[in-house]
Amino acid sequence: QSLFNTAANMVSWPRFGIFRPTEGKWFEKLARKSFEAEDTDKDGSLDRKELYIAMLKMYDMLNDSLPCHMVIPEWTEIDKLIAEFDKDTSGGLEFPEYLALCKALCGTKKHWRK
């Protein structure tokens, strides 16, 4: 039996109960850490290259902490993600947009496009 319920985006440990990894301050703290580490020009927004590397860092931090899965898109798919999550059409992702992207990519074994 899988410990991860992809429909509800939660991890179940028999000993500890249900945990939803994308909810709460813990997940936001990891996202903030990866965002700030890769916002190399410190403009408060991640461009294409910064976004890809930030997602890789987020993936590494999650894998060190939880038995969950974050789908990392191909380099060629980054523009599609920016178009989908860039709500203010600035051409990059600010932190709230990046957090929404991380939440969408984390916790499911399905590909982000599906």
Side-chain angles (χ1 to χ4, degrees):
Q1 175 180 338
S2 174
L3 295 178
F4 202 82
N5 179 338
T6 57
N9 192 16
M10 60 188 171
V11 177
S12 175
W13 285 287
R15 212 169 144 193
F16 302 110
I18 302 292
F19 173 64
R20 289 180 172 86
T22 60
E23 294 179 14
K25 296 294 179 188
W26 176 83
F27 188 84
E28 188 174 333
K29 184 179 175 182
L30 289 182
R32 172 80 59 192
K33 187 174 181 179
S34 65
F35 182 92
E36 289 176 353
E38 292 313 313
D39 183 17
T40 54
D41 54 8
K42 303 299 180 205
D43 65 351
S45 178
L46 297 179
D47 62 27
R48 191 172 190 257
K49 182 179 177 183
E50 292 170 335
L51 176 61
Y52 187 73
I53 296 170
M55 286 189 298
L56 291 174
K57 280 191 188 271
M58 184 71 175
Y59 179 80
D60 285 342
M61 289 188 287
L62 283 170
N63 279 344
D64 286 345
S65 305
L66 290 176
C68 64
H69 185 76
M70 181 174 172
V71 177
I72 301 295
E74 299 290 325
W75 172 252
T76 57
E77 299 170 322
I78 296 298
D79 290 331
K80 290 179 188 176
L81 286 173
I82 290 174
E84 183 177 341
F85 286 90
D86 183 19
K87 299 301 180 196
D88 62 0
T89 63
S90 64
L93 296 187
E94 288 76 32
F95 181 71
E97 297 164 335
Y98 174 70
L99 181 60
L101 169 64
C102 289
K103 286 180 177 184
L105 295 178
C106 178
T108 177
K109 294 181 189 248
K110 296 177 183 175
H111 197 279
W112 67 272
R113 285 176 279 164
K114 296 180 183 172

